[in-house]
Amino acid sequence: MNSTDQAAGSTPAGTEDPRVTAGRVLAMIADHFTTTDPSDVLEPHSLLVCVSAEAYKLADRPMFVGAAQMARAALAEAPDAPEGITRGELALLLLKAATACGYDWRSEDNEQTRALQAGGHA
């Protein structure tokens, strides 16, 4: 699969606070890290790649309309990833950051992330 083969996300309303949108991107990354190899140690480039990919999906794939701004805002809100952290552990930090941005990820339909937050296995 190519990075441009991503399924389109649901573009946030133009009136959504940009910080909330950044939180939405972080929650999408957390969901990805929860469902894709959560016990693997995070590769140094993975967070940056995922921020870009999720912002691109959320912007409904227009390369230069919104995605770059969403990615920059999400990176500014993203927690530091300590060396050796797993993808699943980082997912929890990303969810905390998403909540701090004002995004209510609990209202979304993502059972894997809720299971991780509750201490279960994804």
Side-chain angles (χ1 to χ4, degrees), residues 18-35:
R19 192 159 183 249
V20 172
T21 302
R24 181 185 300 268
V25 172
L26 296 178
M28 291 169 65
I29 297 163
D31 190 51
H32 173 74
F33 284 166
T34 300
T35 58

Side-chain angles (χ1 to χ4, degrees), residues 27-119:
M28 291 169 65
I29 297 163
D31 190 51
H32 173 74
F33 284 166
T34 300
T35 58
T36 307
D37 305 319
S39 61
D40 286 359
V41 172
L42 181 74
E43 294 292 329
H45 63 280
S46 292
L47 183 58
L48 179 60
V49 169
C50 284
V51 166
S52 298
E54 297 299 346
Y56 179 69
K57 285 181 359 186
L58 190 58
D60 204 18
R61 301 187 209 185
M63 186 67 108
F64 299 107
V65 181
Q69 293 87 345
M70 284 184 214
R72 281 193 294 275
L75 282 172
E77 299 292 341
D80 290 330
E83 188 174 330
I85 194 169
T86 66
R87 294 163 61 94
E89 291 167 335
L90 183 59
L92 291 173
L93 297 178
L94 290 167
L95 290 175
K96 288 179 186 176
T99 300
C101 289
Y103 179 69
D104 184 11
W105 57 268
R106 292 168 195 87
S107 68
E108 296 295 317
D109 182 23
N110 68 45
E111 294 297 322
Q112 296 291 333
T113 302
R114 278 197 289 267
L116 183 64
Q117 180 69 15

